[in-house]
């Protein structure tokens, strides 16, 4: 289960590894980073409702996230995606265009080369983060 983008390739670059569970210093990566081109369309990875739009960074409102709640109640979060559909219980079907990819690599230019990507994570009803590529 993964969002449809041009190339579902997991990001590995100078700034890190985009696989689930990869080290992030004192924590682990709780999602998967898929390489994309800025402005690529991003499609819903499942049927559900758009529960909310948000911001992955508390101090930077340039970057957005979209949360879709599936029929199991699992939360699918796609980060660095500019929404094109409204939130608030809007029903979407798998493969519906929900937004366009943003260029998060611009935020991290100082630390090395980072490929533009979207971050995708799933949180189950127990609050556990699931490995997207193992579902």
């Amino acid at each position: 289960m993964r969002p449809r983008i041009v190339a579902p390739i997991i990001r590995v670059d100078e700034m890190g590894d985009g696989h689930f569970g990869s080290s992030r210093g004192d924590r682990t990566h709780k999602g998967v980073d898929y390489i994309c081109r800025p402005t690529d369309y991003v499609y819903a990875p499942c049927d559900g409702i758009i529960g909310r739009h948000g911001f992955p960074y508390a101090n930077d409102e340039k970057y957005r996230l979209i949360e879709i709640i599936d029929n199991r109640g699992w939360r699918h979060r796609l980060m660095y995606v500019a929404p094109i559909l409204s939130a608030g219980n809007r029903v979407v079907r798998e493969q519906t265009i929900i937004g366009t990819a943003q260029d998060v690599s611009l935020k991290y230019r100082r630390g090395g080369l980072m490929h533009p990507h979207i971050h995708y994570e799933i949180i189950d009803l127990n609050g556990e983060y699931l490995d997207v590529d193992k579902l």
Side-chain angles (χ1 to χ4, degrees):
M1 176 184 315
R2 53 177 68 120
R4 192 177 106 205
I5 53 177
V6 172
I9 299 169
I10 297 175
R11 176 183 76 86
V12 178
D13 54 36
E14 292 176 20
M15 296 293 291
D17 183 326
H19 289 87
F20 184 87
S22 296
S23 175
R24 291 290 189 269
D26 61 348
R27 61 181 180 85
T28 59
H29 193 230
K30 294 182 178 180
V32 177
D33 295 341
Y34 293 106
I35 293 175
C36 64
R37 293 181 307 225
T39 73
D40 277 351
Y41 286 125
V42 178
Y43 300 79
C46 60
D47 291 347
I49 60 167
I50 298 178
R52 71 181 185 98
H53 295 156
F55 304 97
Y57 305 107
N59 62 348
D60 190 344
E61 293 187 357
K62 283 188 284 200
Y63 301 100
R64 304 297 305 272
L65 73 80
I66 299 171
E67 184 175 87
I68 298 171
I69 302 166
D70 70 18
N71 61 357
R72 296 169 290 207
W74 292 5
R75 294 176 287 153
H76 298 251
R77 289 186 186 157
L78 297 116
M79 297 180 191
Y80 321 129
V81 178
I84 60 172
L85 298 175
S86 60
N89 298 327
R90 177 168 184 144
V91 175
V92 293
R93 297 280 176 231
E94 185 175 357
Q95 302 305 331
T96 300
I97 297 172
I98 58 172
T100 56
Q102 297 179 293
D103 191 353
V104 71
S105 70
L106 298 174
K107 183 173 182 66
Y108 294 99
R109 292 250 180 215
R110 295 181 313 277
L113 176 64
M114 174 186 280
H115 296 299
H117 65 278
I118 62 168
H119 171 93
Y120 177 36
E121 61 189 33
I122 300 174
I123 306 165
D124 70 14
L125 291 174
N126 297 317
E128 297 293 322
Y129 288 80
L130 307 176
D131 186 345
V132 172
D133 274 347
K134 295 210 171 138
L135 296 178

